Amino acid sequence: MRTSLRRSGRTMILMGALTLTLAAAACSADKPAAPEAAPATVPAVDPGKPGVLLVHGAFADGSSWGGVAEQLQAKGFRVTIAAVPLRGLTYDSAYIRGLLDAMPGRTLLVGHSYGGAVITNAAAGSAKAAGLVYVAAFAPDKGESLGELDGRFGGPATEITVPHPVGGDPVPELRIADEKFPGYFAQDVAPVRAAVLAAGQRPISVAAFTERTAEPAWRTLPSWYLVATDDRMIPPAGQREMAGRAKAVVTEHAGSHAIAVSHPDAVVRVIDQAAAAVAAR
């Protein structure tokens, strides 16, 4: 009798354990599988490729290059994203020249918008500069100012910018009015993202629009230019004019002034083209 009770008890315990195991398996099946962890490896730098120094423009910051930098790093480029002070053309060009001089090897300078004027000045006479890539950018000639070019090409800068409070800083600054930023700067960027870009825009000193360019680096360096054909900040006709006199290799792509955000792949293709050309020299 005792033996039968013991056997019966063991059977009940085994049945209970099996029931709990099946229930746990059913719960696990109901749960979505955990996403696989992203690879922890950093893409290796290809020593055969030039470095890339990305220089943002006015009303933006280094994060605007995020999509471009990610693709370039995946291709083996050594990428540096500059944080441009936006204090004026002379100051900013000297700052970027300092970064360029510190690069470990020959470097392509890539400038967007006002950043194009900065690299035009910063790269002049530099042994480290391999070439210039303009992305919907100003490429001024000697003696020209950005304010002058904006007026000549019919840009809207004077109509959409507002003074930015600077808390006692004697240098006046400008920013794009938040409600005008998406429609002029980033009309092909998702509205939520464009609103974030507007909120995070960095103001720029008025001196950036009035100071004049020195001898432009594009006179001696090979240049490439990506024209954003839907740009409402620097009209495409003005971009083509500047690219033509710089004898730049021109690529055109549909996109807003924020083309590096909305179409980073188009920007990367031009940088790839420039890198291949300078590597072959």
Side-chain angles (χ1 to χ4, degrees):
M1 183 68 175
R2 289 178 182 172
T3 302
S4 298
L5 287 173
R6 283 198 296 271
R7 287 176 179 169
S8 176
R10 289 196 199 99
T11 300
M12 291 178 68
I13 291 169
L14 290 171
M15 291 287 289
L18 179 60
T19 301
L20 289 172
T21 301
L22 292 172
C27 289
S28 298
D30 290 339
K31 292 180 181 178
E36 292 185 11
T41 57
V42 177
V45 172
D46 183 345
K49 293 185 175 183
V52 178
L53 178 57
L54 300 171
V55 181
H56 68 79
F59 320 119
D61 63 16
S63 67
S64 61
W65 291 115
V68 172
E70 182 177 354
Q71 291 188 35
L72 289 174
Q73 288 179 332
K75 289 173 173 284
F77 285 96
R78 177 183 285 106
V79 179
T80 301
I81 303 177
V84 186
L86 302 180
R87 296 289 80 199
L89 189 56
T90 302
Y91 187 101
D92 294 339
S93 298
Y95 178 87
I96 295 302
R97 179 57 175 263
L99 286 180
L100 176 60
D101 288 344
M103 294 293 106
R106 298 183 74 222
T107 301
L108 281 172
L109 289 89
V110 183
H112 170 248
S113 191
Y114 164 69
V118 174
I119 67 172
T120 295
N121 286 267
S126 170
K128 290 287 183 72
L132 308 171
V133 179
Y134 294 92
V135 179
F138 286 106
D141 201 348
K142 184 176 181 179
E144 291 179 339
S145 70
L146 265 62
E148 188 179 303
L149 291 174
D150 184 72
R152 184 196 308 173
F153 300 144
T158 57
E159 302 168 15
I160 65 174
T161 54
V162 294
H164 179 74
V166 290
D169 189 339
V171 180
E173 293 184 314
L174 298 173
R175 70 193 306 274
I176 298 176
D178 285 350
E179 68 277 9
K180 293 184 178 180
F181 188 98
Y184 281 92
F185 199 100
Q187 75 271 17
D188 60 349
V189 176
V192 171
R193 175 64 173 148
V196 170
L197 292 174
Q201 64 175 297
R202 290 183 51 209
I204 187 168
S205 166
V206 171
F209 294 92
T210 59
E211 293 180 350
R212 299 188 178 277
T213 289
E215 190 66 27
W218 49 254
R219 288 207 193 281
T220 55
L221 289 172
S223 302
W224 288 260
Y225 199 112
L226 176 59
V227 175
T229 60
D230 300 321
D231 199 324
R232 297 175 183 173
M233 292 295 295
I234 306 176
Q239 294 183 39
R240 295 183 186 109
E241 179 183 321
M242 290 184 288
R245 68 186 184 183
K247 296 180 173 56
V249 177
V250 178
T251 299
E252 300 204 0
H253 194 282
S256 70
H257 194 58
I259 193 169
V261 176
S262 57
H263 299 285
D265 51 330
V267 178
V268 170
R269 282 195 295 271
V270 175
I271 296 172
D272 251 339
Q273 181 186 18
V278 301
R281 285 173 172 257

